[in-house]
Amino acid sequence: MLSDPREVLTRPSPPPDATVSYGDHPDQCADLRLPAGDGPPRPLVVVVHGGFWRVEYDRTHTGPMAAALAALGHPVAQIEYRRTGGPGGGRPHTLTDVRAGIAALPGLAAAALPGRVAQVPPILVGHSAGGHLALYVAAHAPETVGGVLALAPVADLAQAYRLDLDGGAVAALLGGGPDDVPDRYAATDPSALVPIRSRTVVIHGNRDAQVPIAISRSWVAADRAAGGTATLVELPECEHFGLIAPGSAAWPRVVEALLSLHDDLPGIDAASPSR
């Protein structure tokens, strides 16, 4: 474990190779990173950051993670989106931004990184609230998603509201609780959207104090009961932030799961530059 798990949130990383916009708002953008080496085009990996959808947290804290994934040979995009507490943040724009960005990013990245991005749906790597957003997009627009790696996702918004995670974060996103705005939960809560058709792997640490592992356990069970194929990897002695920290004890399991999703894509050579 890291001596200070939250250190990853401020850890420096190399600057991105390019930044593209998928809309007119300043937050409708993504940082791109070239894959290491000179291999063939590979599926884009889209990192969807967490931070409980709040404006205080942006994509920069996923820089070390994105750089590490690019070093493995993957083109990487760190998507930004409007967040609660900022102009236009919360429902619906937080949700529609990510959905629109993920649909547009393979083409935008291919133009910015010529010859490096395969024109297939991207693999989504979402952490915490970003895991929620990745599952939301996979449920509503599965044709735009090649696979989902959900790291400690907020996969049950109603339960997260009842637990008051991060002091009202879900109410800030949706404008109330499940009894106040049930239609909004029905449309956005992954627990109401099973099964997820995209290949999905969930990784969660059993010492997570920000998002209880019980949320992932119940969501994966619900997905499988509904006919889905989601799998859960539980990591002992792992807290919330080690999942996005290259060099942590959890990081090799994150890489292993990503490679399994990459190799499952149709028409993709299973030989990865990281193998």
Side-chain angles (χ1 to χ4, degrees), residues 229-250:
T229 60
T231 57
L232 174 61
V233 178
E234 297 190 22
L235 299 184
E237 304 303 313
C238 177
E239 44 65 56
H240 192 66
F241 300 101
L243 296 172
I244 60 169
S248 71

Side-chain angles (χ1 to χ4, degrees), residues 146-177:
V148 177
L149 176 54
L151 307 175
V154 188
D156 187 328
L157 296 185
Q159 179 68 351
Y161 173 84
R162 288 189 289 269
L163 294 172
D164 196 30
L165 296 189
D166 204 57
V170 178
L173 174 70
L174 296 183

Side-chain angles (χ1 to χ4, degrees), residues 19-23 25-31 59 78-81 105:
T19 300
V20 295
S21 297
Y22 62 87
H25 191 278
D27 286 336
Q28 294 175 317
C29 65
D31 291 337
R59 68 192 184 280
Q78 296 164 253
I79 191 171
E80 194 56 272
Y81 51 90
L105 275 173

Side-chain angles (χ1 to χ4, degrees), residues 13-234:
S13 63
D17 295 295
T19 300
V20 295
S21 297
Y22 62 87
D24 295 330
H25 191 278
D27 286 336
Q28 294 175 317
C29 65
D31 291 337
L32 304 180
R33 296 181 185 269
L34 275 164
D38 298 315
R42 293 191 175 276
L44 185 68
V45 173
V46 179
V47 175
V48 190
H49 73 81
F52 282 104
W53 313 278
R54 299 191 190 276
V55 74
E56 290 84 359
Y57 301 93
D58 64 17
R59 68 192 184 280
T60 58
H61 77 262
T62 60
M65 176 186 196
L69 295 177
L72 294 174
H74 303 282
V76 180
Q78 296 164 253
I79 191 171
E80 194 56 272
Y81 51 90
R82 283 174 280 186
R83 303 172 306 287
T84 60
R91 179 199 171 272
H93 296 133
T94 295
L95 300 148
T96 57
D97 279 1
V98 176
R99 184 168 170 177
I102 286 169
L105 275 173
L108 293 170
L113 310 175
R116 307 312 308 272
V117 181
Q119 286 305 286
V120 297
I123 297 170
L124 310 185
V125 180
H127 176 240
S128 194
H132 157 258
L133 293 169
L135 293 172
Y136 164 82
V137 174
H140 283 281
E143 70 282 358
T144 69
V145 177
V148 177
L149 176 54
L151 307 175
V154 188
D156 187 328
L157 296 185
Q159 179 68 351
Y161 173 84
R162 288 189 289 269
L163 294 172
D164 196 30
L165 296 189
D166 204 57
V170 178
L173 174 70
L174 296 183
D179 293 334
D180 307 312
V181 286
D183 56 325
R184 298 181 184 181
Y185 282 78
T188 62
D189 190 341
S191 66
L193 300 174
V194 294
I196 298 293
R197 286 164 48 191
S198 302
R199 173 87 167 87
T200 301
V201 177
V202 179
I203 303 181
H204 212 128
N206 66 5
R207 297 189 64 177
D208 195 319
Q210 279 70 35
V211 181
I213 193 172
I215 287 181
S216 284
R217 288 170 176 162
S218 63
W219 183 82
V220 170
D223 181 78
R224 296 183 73 87
T229 60
T231 57
L232 174 61
V233 178
E234 297 190 22

